[in-house]
Amino acid sequence: MKKIPLTLLIIGISITFVLSFAMPELAGKVKNDISSMKILYSYSVTKSFLEQTEETIEIASVPLGKVKTQDVNIRTDVQLEETPLNIQGVVKGNLNKPEEYKHKVTLTGPEKGFTYRKYYLTKNYDKGTYTVIRTNKITGKEKEYAGTYYEPSAQDPIIAWSRDKK
């Protein structure tokens, strides 16, 4: 087990405490920097894929013979269920990053024989479960957290498609 000098931990806590009274606007930044150093805890994260889920959004409907130009801005984000705030950053750091679809698109109506064309975007997510084991670097005490995650799918996180309707 790696030992961390107790004086370093006490100094970090003292700096945060003093700044919270003297300069409160800096206290939060220093506190976050200290916690991001992971002085007190180490983390082990395990993911298990369950299934792929999707969310489809209709972005436009264009009638026969018409053309429409449109800005399309869609984002897929990581979503967590049953996750305490103190480990959300650790879990998110082990998942796929958010994806963005930002395009200016020209959408055209359908061929003759159809009335309109509907345009869609489908966001694909990988759903799974995670387990985090948090270990106190000083005492060696472990705590386990578990929950469900949705992350942008590694393959085809966002798919654009259309359907012609009569």
Side-chain angles (χ1 to χ4, degrees), residues 55-57 59 72-79 92 96-103 121-125 150-153 157-159:
E55 176 188 356
T56 299
I57 302 162
I59 58 171
V72 179
N73 298 320
I74 301 291
R75 179 183 168 99
T76 60
D77 283 313
V78 169
Q79 300 167 26
K92 287 180 178 181
N96 293 336
K97 302 299 177 224
E99 293 283 336
E100 288 191 79
Y101 183 95
K102 286 187 172 189
H103 297 283
L121 286 176
T122 297
K123 299 193 268 184
N124 292 310
Y125 292 94
Y150 295 84
E151 66 182 337
S153 205
I158 300 173
I159 298 172

Side-chain angles (χ1 to χ4, degrees), residues 26-45:
L26 290 178
K29 180 174 178 9
V30 170
K31 183 178 179 183
N32 289 339
D33 288 347
I34 291 170
S35 66
S36 69
M37 292 169 42
K38 298 181 181 169
I39 293 174
L40 190 55
Y41 298 108
S42 65
Y43 299 90
S44 169
V45 180

Side-chain angles (χ1 to χ4, degrees), residues 79-150:
Q79 300 167 26
L80 301 174
E81 294 177 353
E82 305 128 30
T83 306
L85 287 173
N86 62 330
I87 63 157
Q88 284 184 3
V90 172
V91 175
K92 287 180 178 181
N94 285 275
L95 299 176
N96 293 336
K97 302 299 177 224
E99 293 283 336
E100 288 191 79
Y101 183 95
K102 286 187 172 189
H103 297 283
K104 185 174 193 109
V105 294
T106 301
L107 309 170
T108 59
E111 301 293 322
K112 287 187 178 182
F114 294 95
T115 309
Y116 57 94
R117 178 175 289 155
K118 289 193 174 216
Y119 288 88
Y120 302 91
L121 286 176
T122 297
K123 299 193 268 184
N124 292 310
Y125 292 94
D126 292 339
K127 176 184 178 182
T129 58
Y130 69 84
T131 302
V132 175
I133 298 174
R134 181 186 76 183
T135 305
N136 184 308
K137 291 180 181 179
I138 296 171
T139 65
K141 184 177 177 184
E142 293 182 346
K143 182 166 183 177
E144 186 173 305
Y145 300 90
T148 303
Y149 69 85
Y150 295 84

Side-chain angles (χ1 to χ4, degrees), residues 6-19:
L6 190 55
T7 53
L8 180 60
L9 180 62
I10 291 171
I11 290 170
I13 292 170
S14 299
I15 290 170
T16 303
F17 182 75
V18 170
L19 280 176

